[in-house]
Amino acid sequence: MYVVIAAQSVGLSLCKRHGSTFNKLRRVFTGLIIRSVGAKVNLIGTIDADTDILIVNHQSMFDIFSLEQVVGNDTRFIGRTGIMDKWPVSRIVDKVGHITVDQKDSRAIIKLLKDVKVCKGKKVIIFPEGTRSQSGKIEPFEAGAKLLVEKLKLKAQPVVIKNILDVYNESDKTATSGTIEIEALPAITIAENWYELTHQQMNDVLK
């Protein structure tokens, strides 16, 4: 898998950004990465065409490739510096235009709001836990996703990735052939306590 990621980094750096060859290579490499660990990805439900941001639980780096497989190329992931700025992932992040957040920067939230606003028309994907959880439950949400949805008036949709650790265990560096299920829940209605209710709903689906 890491060999394919490195090859993707090199391949994309040689292409015109978001040109036809660039986008074709992204699709090809995503498929290769999924198959490299013997995985298949199955989408349950529907991701609405006009959804602005997907709120997704986070368990491993493989979440990203699984989501790209079902959502497509027109995605922008939000991730922390220190993870997304290491080669070879950093080259892909830079070329594709994914969004990085430096939590040590006091102006990070302002930059994040601007970066997400620029991505209007694409599917922005955020992992609101802020870290990878391998406990079998969804950890408490940080405030960032809530702020983005409410400040920018985004249409948000929760998505739950299930049984990914049965297929690819990042901690143990093991892989077992299997199907990863990604379940898209109905779009969120913004009302009182919507963020807490979304967390509970996603946890119920994961369990």
Side-chain angles (χ1 to χ4, degrees):
M1 185 186 74
Y2 289 106
V3 170
V4 178
I5 292 172
Q8 181 181 14
S9 174
V10 174
L12 294 183
S13 68
L14 300 175
C15 300
K16 180 182 177 181
R17 190 177 182 185
H18 300 304
S20 58
T21 302
F22 182 93
N23 291 330
K24 184 178 179 180
L25 278 178
R26 283 191 66 194
R27 290 192 296 272
V28 168
F29 278 113
T30 296
L32 286 173
I33 291 167
I34 295 292
R35 291 193 295 275
S36 71
V37 301
K40 294 181 180 179
V41 184
N42 180 41
L43 176 64
I44 302 169
T46 303
I47 296 173
D48 298 341
D50 59 345
T51 293
D52 298 308
I53 189 167
L54 300 176
I55 297 175
V56 189
N57 61 309
H58 194 23
Q59 298 166 84
S60 80
M61 178 176 66
F62 209 72
D63 296 342
I64 292 172
F65 309 115
S66 301
L67 288 163
E68 283 187 335
Q69 184 81 343
V70 297
V71 180
N73 278 358
D74 223 13
T75 56
R76 298 293 183 270
F77 288 89
I78 298 174
R80 294 178 175 179
T81 56
I83 297 175
M84 295 180 74
D85 55 358
K86 293 182 179 179
W87 192 90
V89 174
S90 59
R91 181 63 61 86
I92 298 171
V93 169
D94 180 60
K95 291 291 287 186
V96 173
H98 296 310
I99 300 166
T100 56
V101 179
D102 183 357
Q103 292 188 311
K104 296 178 182 178
D105 186 348
S106 60
R107 298 166 297 176
I109 191 62
I110 297 172
K111 177 180 179 297
L112 178 60
L113 285 165
K114 290 179 178 178
D115 288 346
V116 171
K117 193 173 183 179
V118 168
C119 291
K120 185 69 176 177
K122 306 182 186 305
K123 296 285 187 291
V124 174
I125 297 176
I126 189 168
F127 301 114
E129 296 162 277
T131 187
R132 300 170 187 177
S133 172
Q134 299 190 337
S135 65
K137 65 178 182 179
I138 299 174
E139 301 298 333
F141 287 171
E142 295 183 349
K146 183 176 188 290
L147 182 67
L148 286 173
V149 171
E150 293 181 351
K151 286 286 186 182
L152 299 180
K153 295 180 170 49
L154 303 176
K155 178 176 178 179
Q157 194 169 356
V159 172
V160 179
I161 303 177
K162 300 186 283 187
N163 70 293
I164 196 166
L165 297 179
D166 296 333
V167 177
Y168 176 74
N169 190 309
E170 193 166 43
S171 296
D172 296 340
K173 295 293 187 292
T174 58
T176 304
S177 296
T179 300
I180 298 164
E181 291 188 349
I182 296 179
E183 184 166 349
L185 308 182
I188 294 167
T189 299
I190 306 302
E192 187 177 359
N193 297 325
W194 72 267
Y195 202 46
E196 293 77 12
L197 292 172
T198 298
H199 178 270
Q200 183 60 57
Q201 183 186 23
M202 290 174 66
N203 242 326
D204 291 344
V205 170
L206 182 64
K207 293 175 182 177

